[in-house]
Amino acid sequence: DADARSMVAGMHEYWEERPSNPEAFLRGFLERAGAVMWLPSPLPPPLAQSAALLRDYRFPGEAVIPLDELCRASFPKLVVSGGHHPVYEKICDTIADGIGGRRVVIEGAGHTVQATGERFNDELERLWTSAAARASFQR
């Protein structure tokens, strides 16, 4: 997808030239990621520490996802997103299709769908229950 490729290329360029200051990095990262949020300045120490760690991570786009191998694997797969950015949704759709996974969008928590609580937990329980049923059937 052209939009996804453009966003990833822009993010990769930013990652290569990222500011050394954690606050500046986090603000630029969130802007490019399409996250709309207010950040205090200076950042509270835990957030500044998280920003510094994120800044020093390997660029996520470098990850190699073995889609074919995952698709052939017999366990159930689940790809969950928060519906907050069209490019992320396209990427999640592509991954779900590529691995033969079930695709779920849980609106309301942006990039942190795990923070939606019951809705996210219900999806995990459904995944684990289907995995347990599949495992007991194969015995």
Side-chain angles (χ1 to χ4, degrees), residues 5-47:
R5 289 187 206 304
S6 176
M7 182 178 181
V8 169
M11 190 65 84
H12 188 262
E13 182 179 313
Y14 180 71
W15 214 273
E16 291 296 315
E17 315 255 332
R18 62 190 173 267
S20 60
N21 176 281
E23 183 175 333
F25 167 77
L26 183 60
R27 289 181 187 285
F29 172 79
L30 291 173
E31 178 183 317
R32 284 161 181 79
V36 178
M37 62 176 42
W38 175 84
L39 292 175
S41 185
L43 297 177
L47 187 54

Side-chain angles (χ1 to χ4, degrees), residues 35-92:
V36 178
M37 62 176 42
W38 175 84
L39 292 175
S41 185
L43 297 177
L47 187 54
Q49 181 180 13
S50 293
L53 289 171
L54 176 63
R55 183 196 65 220
D56 293 337
Y57 284 168
R58 174 184 71 167
F59 177 64
E62 294 174 9
V64 176
I65 302 171
L67 296 176
D68 292 338
E69 186 176 339
L70 288 169
C71 189
R72 288 189 303 270
S74 63
F75 55 82
K77 296 98 174 166
L78 174 65
V79 177
V80 184
S81 65
H84 72 290
H85 196 288
V87 170
Y88 291 134
E89 298 310 307
K90 290 176 186 177
I91 291 170
C92 289

